[in-house]
């Protein structure tokens, strides 16, 4: 999949004018573009797939936790577990929101 993404990036970006192609060696241009395409795939696409996998895992685990909670008899321990679930989800969300500006700055 990453090879397909890299080739798609290269074919989209590799459109030089005649004047610009005379100024540069075609091998150097392809080498530089391949390096940048590989970096883009590793830092953007692969990481987005990792994040998507983590989000799917979060939803599955949340669903399983809710399923287990619905099967438990009502007791003070059930309330504690039910209260922990939103706190555990809110913690990473708040952390991401607070660090959003710094993360965007580092990826530019």
């Amino acid at each position: 999949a990453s090879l397909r993404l890299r080739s798609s990036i290269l074919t989209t970006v590799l459109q030089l004018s005649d004047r610009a192609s005379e100024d540069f060696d075609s091998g150097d241009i392809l080498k530089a573009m391949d390096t940048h395409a590989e970096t883009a795939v590793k830092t953007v696409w692969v990481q987005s797939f990792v994040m998507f996998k983590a989000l799917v895992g979060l939803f599955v685990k949340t669903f399983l936790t809710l399923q287990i909670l619905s099967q438990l008899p009502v007791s003070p321990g059930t309330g504690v577990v039910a209260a922990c679930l939103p706190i555990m989800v809110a913690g990473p969300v708040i952390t991401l929101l607070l660090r959003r500006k710094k993360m965007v700055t580092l990826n530019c």
Side-chain angles (χ1 to χ4, degrees):
S2 63
L3 179 62
R4 193 176 221 178
L5 286 170
R6 286 174 65 189
S7 63
S8 176
I9 291 172
L10 283 175
T11 56
T12 302
V13 177
L14 188 58
Q15 297 176 359
L16 295 174
S17 67
D18 293 332
R19 183 174 168 215
S21 62
E22 291 173 0
D23 294 338
F24 299 101
D25 182 29
S26 62
D28 291 339
I29 294 172
L30 286 175
K31 206 179 298 181
M33 289 179 63
D34 184 49
T35 302
H36 288 292
E38 182 178 349
T39 303
V41 168
K42 284 182 181 177
T43 59
V44 177
W45 289 101
V46 173
Q47 296 304 318
S48 66
F49 293 138
V50 169
M51 186 177 77
F52 180 74
K53 179 183 169 187
L55 285 174
V56 169
L58 172 68
F59 288 127
V60 168
K61 290 174 187 174
T62 302
F63 175 75
L64 290 174
T65 303
L66 293 174
Q67 182 71 23
I68 292 169
L69 280 174
S70 69
Q71 302 297 322
L72 291 175
V74 177
S75 69
T78 308
V80 171
V81 173
C84 285
L85 184 63
I87 293 170
M88 290 176 9
V89 171
V93 170
I94 291 170
T95 303
L96 286 174
L97 290 175
L98 292 175
R99 295 187 54 151
R100 178 179 50 194
K101 187 174 182 179
K102 186 174 184 178
M103 288 188 295
V104 169
T105 304
L106 291 175
N107 287 331
C108 289

